[in-house]
Amino acid sequence: MRTAELRYFLASVEAGSFGKAASSLQLRVSTVSRAIARLEDQLGVALFERTSSGIKLTTAGRIALRCVRRVLCETNALTETLDRSSFGEIGEVHLGFHLPPLERFLHELNR
């Protein structure tokens, strides 16, 4: 299963049709439709009921939608984190400092 297929699935749900999803993604309808069919084959369930008036999520599609949203959210977070890390915007900084010798000072405190 590819991230693109999950994005096409989400776009189709939000648009209410493969045609509108394809338009918003600047793709051909056949590209989106085939990707959804591949996704359904991989999952072994129908995600949409296809009618003359559009598409409607099946029960499996509604379950998949919740998971797909989480997966895409995490994928986006990972991509953003790695991008920021590669530009040095995030990461680890290790600081240290050098203290003057304390032995003499501590010895005098014990007197």
Side-chain angles (χ1 to χ4, degrees):
M1 152 177 358
R2 297 177 179 167
T3 307
E5 293 167 344
L6 301 179
R7 292 184 196 286
Y8 300 173
F9 169 73
L10 183 59
S12 297
V13 170
E14 292 173 348
S17 77
F18 296 146
K20 289 177 185 175
S23 178
S24 71
L25 296 166
Q26 298 180 337
L27 298 170
R28 293 182 179 180
V29 177
S30 60
T31 302
V32 172
S33 181
R34 281 195 305 269
I36 298 299
R38 275 193 310 274
L39 185 58
E40 289 174 322
D41 285 345
Q42 291 168 359
L43 296 173
V45 295
L47 299 172
F48 293 102
E49 291 177 24
R50 292 148 173 89
T51 66
S52 58
S53 60
I55 56 175
K56 180 182 171 188
L57 281 174
T58 62
T59 301
R62 286 190 294 278
I63 294 168
L65 178 60
R66 287 193 299 270
C67 294
V68 166
R69 282 188 170 137
R70 284 195 306 264
V71 167
L72 291 177
C73 182
E74 291 299 320
T75 301
N76 292 340
L78 173 63
T79 301
E80 181 181 325
T81 299
L82 293 176
D83 284 348
R84 291 179 64 206
S85 176
S86 68
F87 290 113
E89 294 178 16
I90 60 172
E92 293 183 18
V93 175
H94 299 269
L95 298 175
F97 54 93
H98 181 73
L99 294 173
L102 296 176
E103 184 179 332
R104 191 173 124 217
F105 174 75
L106 294 174
H107 180 65
E108 288 181 18
L109 285 175
N110 284 332
R111 290 184 174 182

